[in-house]
């Protein structure tokens, strides 16, 4: 590949912090196609304002992969919908890790889908069960049409991943997505992370929380959606069934056997929600 894809600072920040996750041949080929040559001022600002940004991103992404691993054996094959896919090469990981267990993967995002698709096609040489759709997640009618055109069917169990989405849409827009994808059997599994609201943040992490909110809202020039655990529970139960919430301190303990960075719920600013739809 002769030309590398230049990406926005926010996308580069996430990829950089999770770089050690991308250790398989396909994922490495993908990362090699991304231009990391420019120093990201946002990355420096984030690390100054919130030193554990690397651990937060890494544990969040590793938690998603672990949740998929727990689910994948429950059905012979499943669909995977990655809503707000961004530039993360999760699809490549799934194709390598679970061959034959996934009937289709559908990535949806409103930006960089065309560029990402070109890289995927060059790496994979075939489209296979992978579909990349450019669509605004806040347009559920268009999203439903495009998902069906890509082969999605509610009758087949699915894993639905919305990583890094909720801070940028409203709770009502998230509920509309859940309503769109809910099934009578509740055989879909939903996974998302959410930015925690101040009431659930321990005093010794409040300064980090305020720093991150200020930095994100300044960078994006818009409001960032934060939620309490009770708000998340209420939102999920409108159309789904909450399975569990996982704080980053729990994820860190599972992955490393010890809590070095995050010592109690609310540390890490984000938490994971797993639910049936």
């Amino acid at each position: 590949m002769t030309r590398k894809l230049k990406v926005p600072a926010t996308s580069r920040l996430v990829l950089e912090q999770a770089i050690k996750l991308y250790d398989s041949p396909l994922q490495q080929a993908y990362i090699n196609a991304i231009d990391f040559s420019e120093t990201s001022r946002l990355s420096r600002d984030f690390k100054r304002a919130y030193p554990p940004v690397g651990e937060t991103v890494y544990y969040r992404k590793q938690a998603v992969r672990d949740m998929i691993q727990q689910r994948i054996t429950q059905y012979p094959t499943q669909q995977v919908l990655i809503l707000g896919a961004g530039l993360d090469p999760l699809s490549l990981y799934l194709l390598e890790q679970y061959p034959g267990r996934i009937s289709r993967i559908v990535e949806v995002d409103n930006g960089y889908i065309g560029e990402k698709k070109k890289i995927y096609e060059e790496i994979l040489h075939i489209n296979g069960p992978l579909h990349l759709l450019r669509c605004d997640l806040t347009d559920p009618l268009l999203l439903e049409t495009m998902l069906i055109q890509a082969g999605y069917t509610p009758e087949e169990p699915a894993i639905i991943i919305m990583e890094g989405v909720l801070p940028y849409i409203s709770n009502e827009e998230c509920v509309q997505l859940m309503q769109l994808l809910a099934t009578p059997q509740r055989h879909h599994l939903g996974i998302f992370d959410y930015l925690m609201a101040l009431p659930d943040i321990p005093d010794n992490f409040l300064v980090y929380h305020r720093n991150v909110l200020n930095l994100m809202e300044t960078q994006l020039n818009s409001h960032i959606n934060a939620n309490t655990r009770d708000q998340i529970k209420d939102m999920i139960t409108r159309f789904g069934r909450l399975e569990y919430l996982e704080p980053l301190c729990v994820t860190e303990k599972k992955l490393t056997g010890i809590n070095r960075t995050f010592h109690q719920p609310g540390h890490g600013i984000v938490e994971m929600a797993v639910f049936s739809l």
Side-chain angles (χ1 to χ4, degrees):
M1 186 171 295
T2 56
R3 294 188 61 186
K4 293 194 173 188
L5 173 64
K6 289 192 174 184
V7 299
T10 49
S11 299
R12 186 166 60 246
L13 170 67
V14 173
L15 288 175
E16 285 175 340
Q17 302 309 314
I19 199 77
K20 61 183 178 180
L21 269 180
Y22 311 132
D23 57 357
S24 66
L26 281 181
Q27 291 179 102
Q28 287 181 346
Y30 175 84
I31 291 297
N32 288 338
I34 305 293
D35 185 354
F36 290 97
S37 61
E38 296 180 8
T39 302
S40 170
R41 189 183 72 180
L42 178 62
S43 180
R44 293 198 306 269
D45 291 346
F46 242 104
K47 288 178 181 177
R48 255 197 313 265
Y50 179 52
V53 59
E55 290 87 347
T56 297
V57 172
Y58 176 78
Y59 290 144
R60 183 187 75 178
K61 291 188 173 298
Q62 186 62 64
V64 170
R65 284 156 173 77
D66 286 356
M67 291 163 185
I68 293 171
Q69 183 182 33
Q70 294 170 24
R71 160 77 174 202
I72 203 73
T73 58
Q74 295 181 20
Y75 298 94
T77 59
Q78 298 177 71
Q79 309 169 99
V80 177
L81 308 183
I82 308 175
L83 308 183
L87 287 167
D88 190 292
L90 177 60
S91 291
L92 302 181
Y93 167 83
L94 295 174
L95 290 173
E96 290 180 300
Q97 193 74 15
Y98 305 111
R101 301 305 300 262
I102 297 173
S103 60
R104 70 188 54 83
I105 303 172
V106 185
E107 289 195 25
V108 183
D109 207 289
N110 203 27
Y112 277 88
I113 280 292
E115 295 86 346
K116 191 176 187 182
K117 185 176 181 180
K118 288 179 182 177
I119 299 175
Y120 276 8
E121 287 173 346
E122 184 162 341
I123 292 170
L124 295 171
H125 304 298
I126 57 172
N127 289 325
L130 181 58
H131 306 268
L132 278 74
L133 310 179
R134 185 182 182 91
C135 183
D136 189 336
L137 295 180
T138 63
D139 187 344
L141 293 178
L142 177 59
L143 177 60
E144 181 179 29
T145 299
M146 296 186 73
L147 288 176
I148 292 172
Q149 289 173 348
Y152 164 73
T153 171
E155 289 74 30
E156 182 181 0
I159 303 171
I160 301 163
I161 301 158
M162 295 185 289
E163 184 187 352
V165 170
L166 189 54
Y168 305 106
I169 65 175
S170 69
N171 286 3
E172 190 55 40
E173 288 166 338
C174 185
V175 167
Q176 289 175 355
L177 286 173
M178 290 192 288
Q179 182 180 15
L180 171 65
L181 297 168
T183 66
Q185 308 93 327
R186 286 187 173 169
H187 62 189
H188 288 356
L189 183 77
I191 302 171
F192 67 56
D193 60 311
Y194 59 97
L195 182 67
M196 303 182 69
L198 281 174
D200 287 339
I201 302 295
D203 290 345
N204 58 0
F205 239 75
L206 283 175
V207 64
Y208 286 157
H209 188 277
R210 293 192 179 102
N211 286 348
V212 168
L213 273 183
N214 290 338
L215 187 57
M216 292 175 70
E217 292 183 342
T218 299
Q219 176 72 21
L220 299 171
N221 194 29
S222 66
H223 171 72
I224 299 298
N225 183 18
N227 286 274
T228 65
R229 294 185 187 95
D230 285 341
Q231 287 175 308
I232 293 297
K233 292 173 183 177
D234 289 344
M235 182 172 63
I236 288 173
T237 54
R238 289 178 62 178
F239 289 100
R241 180 180 64 244
L242 178 66
E243 301 296 337
Y244 61 92
L245 303 179
E246 181 168 304
L248 283 191
C249 62
V250 173
T251 304
E252 182 181 39
K253 184 69 176 291
K254 287 197 303 187
L255 293 175
T256 69
I258 191 171
N259 290 108
R260 292 187 176 89
T261 305
F262 308 117
H263 298 276
Q264 65 187 98
H267 283 184
I269 298 175
V270 299
E271 289 187 352
M272 307 299 299
V274 179
F275 50 97
S276 299
L277 276 179

